[in-house]
Amino acid sequence: MTNRKVFDKRSPTKDEKFFIPLPSDALHYIHHERISADKLLLYALIIDHYNQDHGYAFPSVERLAVMYGKAPDTTSRHLDDLKAAGLIDFPAKGTYVPLVPLSNEEFYTENPQAWTNYQTTYKRYEKRKEAAAQRMKLWRRENGYSD
């Protein structure tokens, strides 16, 4: 085991540490056809840059691209995807407003394809889980363990 500290999620700012917030309600957006895990990081970066006094975030696409690890053109397209999914808005050129994610129920009601995507992923998970259980059962039988 490593000697490094374990992250304390109950006190993320302990020891004057900072963190990039990602609302847990945004996690179901992963099933939206235009959203991926890396785009959720971009959403978190927009949240992190949000200036409450101004009412928007205003990092340049180039700055976001550096933090995001993508080319500016890719970053710009991914910002469009976040807007299409309803996670951000662009009130004016170069400004971004992070929107509060919809609840699970609201999201899947507004995005029926995302619900289908979720169900497909879940069924695949269940099949893999069942296959793993069968492999374990066979292995135990072959190696003299009782069920």
Side-chain angles (χ1 to χ4, degrees), residues 15 18-19 30 40 52 57 85 94 113-114 116 123-124 138 141:
D15 300 326
F18 293 94
F19 67 101
I30 200 72
L40 289 176
Q52 290 186 321
Q113 183 58 49
T116 301
K123 286 175 187 172
R124 188 171 45 242
L138 179 62
R141 197 173 317 125

Side-chain angles (χ1 to χ4, degrees), residues 126-144:
E126 285 293 322
K127 284 181 183 178
R128 289 176 58 100
K129 186 172 110 178
E130 179 59 32
Q134 291 301 323
R135 285 192 308 276
M136 178 56 82
K137 200 179 235 185
L138 179 62
W139 182 89
R140 290 179 60 81
R141 197 173 317 125
E142 289 172 350
N143 289 281

